[in-house]
Amino acid sequence: STDGGRNLSLDSIPMGLPMSDPSAWATAMNNLGMAPMGMTGQPLLPDFDPALGMMTGIPPINPMMPGLGIVPPPIPPDMPAVKEIIHCKSCTLFPPNPHLPPPATRERPPGCKTVFVGGLPENGTEQIIMEVFEQCGEVIAIRKSKKNFCHIRFAEEFMVDKALYLSGYRIRLGSSTDKKDTGRLHVDFAQARDDLYEWECKQRMLAREERHRRRLAEERFHPPSPPPVVHYSDHECSVVAEKLKDDTKFLEAIQTLLTWIERGEVNRRTANNFYSMIQSANSHIRRLVNEKAAHEKEMEEAKEKFKLALSGILVQFEQIVAVYHSASKQKAWDHFTKAQRKNISVWCKQAEEIRNIHNDELMGIRREEEMEMSDEEIEDPSEMKETEESALVSQVEALKEENDSLRWQLDAYRNEVELLKQEQGKASRDEDTTKEQQMKLLQQALQGMQKHLLKVQEEYKKREAELEKVKEDKLKIETLLENLKEQESNMSRVCACSQEKECPVEKTLSNSPVKSEREVLLVGIISTFLHVHPFGASIEYICSYLQRLDSKICTAEVEVLMTRLQNTFRQELSGVGASLEKRWKFCGFDGLKMT
């Protein structure tokens, strides 16, 4: 760690001292693949090419490369590094045995700028250490222990890689052979809190820059924010009400109205204003429906124009193909050359293919129209009457509700007019003009509402008259049904009496397919119903008619009864495939002849 370490001034150290043997240092740096640098920072070999080193297999290292955790690749074991003697002013460095394995190092800490140097001579000073390691780069601090090791902190991370190159060298001070003046250097990575802190700060700075770049990129693609909605006031309310009446400004005004309602601006004082704006918005529904109908009409007209144009194109294609066919006949064909005949035949094939494609397209359009026409089902007259009646009732109820709401709105407007009249006498002359305008606006609104109310009342009277007519028709139909029931009951009694006279009761009950008076009534009603429908009816349609008279009648009972009376009712199949349908028909007149 560098805590408590002593910083050294670079000015006090002679940086321009000449090396005793500059060629040895240049040879050692060249073996590592680095550009040889002198004490003053000038290159020793100006023509040095980093890509061409003495040792093949060692990749070149750029000394100015920032050290972002880059560790030089290990030297292959089958190619030992040739290290040379390094001569300094106060000491000499002897290389290790090239046959020995490289010195072991610990795992490199993140952002490491500090190295541990062990095996120093006992008489080694900080000046000697600086003299040896300043060749690797700028030294910021040296922390020397009383024992034979120290910690050196460099300015950049890549300088640590250069310092590790000196690991394993034997150092000798001057020409002395004393044990205290010699030692074997061991250089390794050191874990320092300052290095880790600077690395973390750098990573945080990079993360902040990345977040800033991402935020700018996201903001560039963000859609623009919508314009702010004004706050509610009487003046803004009148402006929005005018905009709601204008078709071009309706979308902007309806968004403002929606925002006001969601904000909770509706209260007792502003309820009438909001109701009038909502009513103005409702008046646009008819316009939108008309616009949709107009667009649909335009689409249908465009379809018709397309179909007509396509049919005209097909006619022209047919004429062109007819020309080719007539030219292919022997009368005219013999007069053309081979090249002309070939071109005519090719043109004829192309024209026929294009004609067939257009013809298929036109047939597809016609098929779709036929399918749309076939999908429209024709409703029964009784069901049509019921739907019309229910629609009339719903319309009458809607008109009643609208009439009531209009009356309430008229009362509210009258109350506002009375309040304005009372306030007009008390207010000053400055406010008279604004109130007169409000009065005129309210009077115009009242006149419009009264006209609308008269129209609604007229429509209400018309609907009531139509409803009364429908009720009268319904009563007539019910009376006819009652008469039919009486006739059927009389017929069943007559049949029962004749049967009792002809044969005993027990035999008739055992032999006749009709087992009760209720089944006789059902047979009569079904016969009358099927006589009205000469093309037959499905069992569901018959049961729906019978269930109006008696809700307890089930489909299975009716079907079993009709199957027993084969001379009276006959079942037939109509349709093909998925549209196959079973229909029952009345055949009593034919069955009477057969029996």
Side-chain angles (χ1 to χ4, degrees):
S1 174
T2 59
D3 293 344
R6 182 161 54 89
N7 295 330
L8 298 177
S9 175
L10 296 176
D11 298 336
S12 63
I13 300 172
M15 298 297 293
L17 292 175
M19 288 188 298
S20 59
D21 188 3
S23 61
W25 181 265
T27 305
M29 299 300 286
N30 188 17
N31 290 338
L32 189 59
M34 301 180 184
M37 305 294 290
M39 295 287 289
T40 59
Q42 299 297 326
L44 296 175
L45 300 176
D47 298 330
F48 174 75
D49 185 6
L52 299 173
M54 289 180 63
M55 294 179 58
T56 58
I58 301 177
I61 298 175
N62 185 6
M64 300 307 292
M65 183 187 300
L68 298 175
I70 299 174
V71 181
I75 299 172
D78 55 348
M79 190 168 293
V82 178
K83 296 185 178 182
E84 301 292 337
I85 299 173
I86 300 173
H87 296 279
C88 299
K89 182 181 178 183
S90 304
C91 62
T92 307
L93 300 176
F94 297 94
N97 188 356
H99 299 289
L100 292 177
T105 58
R106 62 184 294 180
E107 184 180 357
R108 182 172 188 147
C112 180
K113 296 181 183 179
T114 306
V115 293
F116 166 82
V117 182
L120 293 172
E122 293 184 10
N123 295 332
T125 61
E126 290 185 4
Q127 186 176 0
I128 295 172
I129 297 170
M130 177 68 74
E131 182 182 346
V132 174
F133 285 95
E134 70 181 356
Q135 301 291 335
C136 301
E138 181 185 353
V139 177
I140 293 179
I142 296 176
R143 183 185 177 190
K144 189 175 182 303
S145 176
K146 293 179 181 180
K147 297 183 180 181
N148 302 332
F149 69 90
C150 70
H151 289 86
I152 303 174
R153 188 163 190 254
F154 293 97
E156 299 294 338
E157 294 182 29
F158 70 91
M159 300 174 183
V160 175
D161 300 323
K162 294 182 179 181
L164 289 176
Y165 175 76
L166 301 176
S167 183
Y169 269 80
R170 289 181 293 108
I171 183 171
R172 187 178 70 185
L173 303 180
S175 59
S176 175
T177 57
D178 190 4
K179 189 176 181 181
K180 293 183 178 181
D181 294 333
T182 60
R184 184 181 294 275
L185 297 180
H186 173 70
V187 185
D188 196 358
F189 300 110
Q191 189 169 6
R193 284 197 293 269
D194 290 348
D195 296 345
L196 182 61
Y197 176 72
E198 288 182 4
W199 182 79
E200 289 177 349
C201 291
K202 188 176 181 180
Q203 295 299 318
R204 284 195 292 269
M205 182 184 68
L206 294 173
R208 282 195 299 270
E209 291 178 356
E210 181 65 23
R211 286 197 299 271
H212 182 65
R213 283 195 296 270
R214 287 182 182 176
R215 193 180 301 112
L216 291 177
E218 290 176 357
E219 288 175 357
R220 194 179 298 114
F221 293 106
H222 276 174
S225 58
V229 179
V230 296
H231 292 280
Y232 176 81
S233 64
D234 293 336
H235 173 68
E236 294 295 338
C237 178
S238 61
V239 172
V240 172
E242 290 298 327
K243 287 183 179 179
L244 284 171
K245 296 176 184 177
D246 190 357
D247 295 346
T248 58
K249 301 178 181 178
F250 172 72
L251 186 60
E252 177 187 355
I254 198 70
Q255 291 176 354
T256 306
L257 177 60
L258 176 62
T259 306
W260 284 350
I261 293 173
E262 290 179 349
R263 285 179 183 173
E265 300 288 349
V266 183
N267 51 38
R268 288 186 178 179
R269 187 178 66 83
T270 61
N272 292 327
N273 295 333
F274 274 98
Y275 183 80
S276 63
M277 288 190 287
I278 293 169
Q279 190 175 11
S280 299
N282 185 46
S283 64
H284 286 270
I285 293 175
R286 187 176 297 173
R287 174 181 65 83
L288 296 174
V289 171
N290 293 334
E291 288 181 1
K292 182 189 173 186
H295 288 303
E296 289 178 349
K297 186 177 179 182
E298 290 177 0
M299 186 176 68
E300 293 295 331
E301 290 176 355
K303 283 184 179 179
E304 290 295 329
K305 288 181 181 178
F306 174 71
K307 195 163 65 174
L308 291 173
L310 193 61
S311 60
I313 291 168
L314 275 174
V315 170
Q316 295 177 18
F317 270 119
E318 291 289 346
Q319 293 175 355
I320 293 170
V321 172
V323 169
Y324 289 142
H325 285 305
S326 62
S328 300
K329 292 180 181 179
Q330 189 173 4
K331 186 177 180 180
W333 190 255
D334 294 338
H335 299 286
F336 295 117
T337 62
K338 286 186 177 181
Q340 291 173 346
R341 291 176 185 175
K342 186 177 181 181
N343 289 335
I344 291 171
S345 60
V346 171
W347 294 340
C348 182
K349 287 180 182 178
Q350 291 177 353
E352 286 178 349
E353 289 177 359
I354 298 171
R355 180 199 62 184
N356 293 334
I357 291 169
H358 283 73
N359 193 13
D360 293 340
E361 188 175 357
L362 185 61
M363 293 300 294
I365 294 171
R366 289 176 179 172
R367 251 186 251 110
E368 289 178 358
E369 291 179 354
E370 290 176 359
M371 290 176 68
E372 289 177 359
M373 292 294 294
S374 63
D375 289 342
E376 295 176 356
E377 296 179 356
I378 301 173
E379 296 182 354
D380 294 325
S382 60
E383 294 180 357
M384 288 286 288
K385 287 183 180 179
E386 288 180 2
T387 54
E388 288 177 359
E389 185 179 352
S390 61
L392 287 171
V393 171
S394 62
Q395 288 178 0
V396 168
E397 290 176 355
L399 288 170
K400 282 182 180 179
E401 292 177 357
E402 190 174 1
N403 192 7
D404 294 337
S405 65
L406 289 171
R407 286 177 182 173
W408 295 334
Q409 193 170 1
L410 277 173
D411 293 336
Y413 277 124
R414 285 171 183 165
N415 293 332
E416 286 183 4
V417 171
E418 290 175 0
L419 290 172
L420 288 171
K421 286 180 180 178
Q422 292 176 2
E423 292 175 0
Q424 190 175 7
K426 299 178 183 179
S428 62
R429 294 178 181 179
D430 296 333
E431 298 177 353
D432 289 339
T433 56
T434 57
K435 289 187 176 180
E436 285 177 0
Q437 292 176 358
Q438 291 179 357
M439 285 288 293
K440 288 179 181 178
L441 291 172
L442 289 171
Q443 286 175 359
Q444 291 175 0
L446 279 171
Q447 290 175 1
M449 294 297 297
Q450 287 175 355
K451 290 179 181 178
H452 188 62
L453 181 61
L454 290 173
K455 290 181 182 178
V456 170
Q457 286 178 353
E458 290 176 0
E459 290 179 1
Y460 176 69
K461 290 178 182 178
K462 289 179 182 178
R463 299 294 182 185
E464 283 184 344
E466 291 177 359
L467 186 62
E468 288 177 358
K469 288 181 181 179
V470 171
K471 287 181 179 178
E472 290 176 0
D473 295 335
K474 189 175 180 181
L475 289 172
K476 289 179 181 179
I477 291 169
E478 288 177 355
T479 52
L480 288 171
L481 286 172
E482 289 177 358
N483 293 332
L484 285 172
K485 288 180 184 177
E486 290 176 0
Q487 291 177 4
E488 287 169 358
S489 62
N490 293 331
M491 289 290 293
S492 61
R493 289 173 186 171
V494 171
C495 292
C497 292
S498 60
Q499 288 177 1
E500 286 175 1
K501 289 177 181 179
E502 289 175 2
C503 58
V505 177
E506 293 178 356
K507 290 183 179 180
T508 55
L509 290 174
S510 60
N511 297 329
S512 66
V514 181
K515 298 180 180 179
S516 64
E517 184 179 359
R518 186 170 181 274
E519 291 183 354
V520 172
L521 289 172
L522 286 175
V523 170
I525 295 169
I526 294 169
S527 302
T528 308
F529 180 82
L530 291 178
H531 185 63
V532 178
H533 296 78
F535 297 102
S538 62
I539 189 68
E540 290 82 8
Y541 188 24
I542 296 169
C543 291
S544 65
Y545 174 75
L546 293 173
Q547 284 174 356
R548 294 181 186 176
L549 305 175
D550 188 3
S551 59
K552 298 179 181 178
I553 295 172
C554 62
T555 307
E557 178 185 359
V558 176
E559 191 170 7
V560 170
L561 177 61
M562 293 175 73
T563 50
R564 276 188 284 157
L565 300 171
Q566 296 180 356
N567 294 326
T568 306
F569 304 108
R570 182 174 69 253
Q571 188 178 14
E572 292 182 355
L573 298 176
S574 63
V576 179
S579 61
L580 191 65
E581 187 180 6
K582 295 180 180 180
R583 289 179 175 270
W584 287 91
K585 289 187 178 181
F586 177 74
C587 59
F589 299 108
D590 299 331
L592 184 64
K593 294 176 183 178
M594 293 172 64
T595 54

